Structure formats: C-alpha cells, structure tokens
Amino acid sequence: MRSRLFKPTLIWLQGVTCNGNTHSFLNLPYLPQLLARFEILYHPLLPCSQNLEEIARCRRGCDVLVFEGAFDPMMERAGVTLERLVAYYAEEAGHVIAAGSCASFGGIFKAAAPERNSGLAYAGEHPDGPLLGKAGKVINLSGCPVHPEWLGFALMNIAEGRPISVDALGRPTALYRHMAHDGCLRNEYFEWKVDAEQFGRKEGCLFYEHGCRGPLTHASCNRTLWNGVSSKMRVGTPCFGCTEPDFPRRNLFETKTNMSIPEEVPVGVSKRAYLTMTGIAKSFKIKRLEERLTDDD
Ligand code: SF4
C-alpha cells in the first residue's frame, strides 16, 4: 500500500465525446476525497494545475491517463493530434483508464464512423486502436456512461497502489464479473416468465418482449446502484447492454425472437436448458406475480 503523501499525477483527455463520463464522474459521492488523493494536472472541467495548451506541448508525463470518448487519430486538441497526445501520455503513464464504452470499444462513435473511430485498445471486441500494443496497461471501464463508482473504484485502487485484476476485455473483474441481471428486483418475474406489460411499471420482467440485456451483460448496475438508489431496470426500462463491446445494437427496446423464443439466452445457459426451464415455469400460473404492486399507472 502506498503512503498517503504520494499523489499520483493525473491527466484527463477527451476524444470524440458527449462529456457523459465526465458528468457521471461529477456525481461520485466521495469525489472531493478521491480528488485529494491525486494531483490533477489537467481535466476539462475540474480545477487543475495546467491548461490544455500546456498539456499539448507534451513536456511532462503523468502517472495516470484517463481518456474519455472514442479515439479519432486526426482529431486535434490545442493544435496537436490525439494520436500524438495519447502516444506521449500513455507511454509515460503507469495506468491508462478508458472511461466509458467509447474509449473502451469505440461505442456510438465507432458505430457511426468505424473507419475513423475506435477505443484505445479495442474496436468492438477486436484488439485495435492506438494502444493495441499496450493493452495490458489499459483498464477498460465500459458503460454509457461509466458508472461513477466504477471510476472511483479504479482510481482509489491506483492511489492505494493495489493491483486491479481484469477480464479478457480489460475490464476489472470486481466490477464486471456479474451480470446486470444480478440483483435486479425483477428476478422472480424472470424465473416464472412473467412479462412486463409496459415500460415504467414495477411489475414483470423486461427480457421477453422489451429487449432487456441484463442476463447477457457484464455489469454491476444492480449491485452498485446509480446515485446509491436506482438502476434502469428498477425504473422499468431495459438494460441496453452498454458495457459490452457490441453496444450499440439496433432496436434497443425489442427482444429478437424466433418462433417466440429469444434469439439470445442468458450467458452460460444452453438454449436447450433455457427452453426446458422456461417451458416448466410457464406451465404454472402464479396469481401473486400477475397482480399490481402499486395503484399507480
Ligand atoms: S428486467 Fe432484465 S435484469 Fe431484470 S430480471 Fe428481467 S431480464 Fe433480468
């Protein structure tokens, strides 16, 4: 463990982005305490010791590089290409964090212009991007946007000098080993195959008709709630699978089916096992699960 007197230097650069990850980060409940553990050389919104022009001169390295947005090699910041900036600071940094799905896998901007945009070390699930040769240094915190607590987890571990183990796509296993389905309050409806009648209601599961990717998505949104209180499924909208490299997909609110059977079944479950289980579950009618939980519309 590191001495608390040591403050790693941090630079936060942006590629092609909507700023969503920065805004998510600003919602971290313990942001002031976390920032106090770093010397922030540059961040586009937070107080920092250098401006973008100074950063673009590439005269001083950093311990941690956080990158937000998709990587477009020709895009410029203060007259310098992202290609040059990322190459310089990633070389110097001990840790590189790809904050969000665009920085991790290319995300929405790669889908819009795949010939230009990628993540730092992946384009979708394929190794690619400017840090392809340094993929072991890149921690992918996918999500659209990244959950503030996940960023807090990674940065606090770096500040403390603790190692972060990652999965095959560079995502911390402590955060992405579970499925988004894990901890969802609708699990009983999933088990007994009771559909949600409409979006926004508390009752029913959104998997069968409404496109929920919870059982197919590695994320801990229902274990570490957003703002400590909620998740998409808790407010009655489906998980869009935004932490996976194939995000975004089309028809986010629909479950693709073939003869009423979902084309994709939960990760690790064979289609045969799925059909057997759901066939049995559907043969029971559980009145309690068909009733409204509240009187609200
Ligand atoms: S709504 Fe989604 S995450 Fe929740 S139980 Fe159904 S499939 Fe799982």
Side-chain angles (χ1 to χ4, degrees), residues 180-182 184-190 204-207 212-215 222 233 237-239:
H181 175 75
D182 197 351
C184 178
L185 298 180
R186 298 169 189 270
N187 268 323
E188 198 180 14
Y189 295 101
F190 177 84
C205 171
L206 298 147
F207 179 72
C212 186
R213 307 279 302 176
N222 275 307
M233 298 75 122
T237 59
C239 165

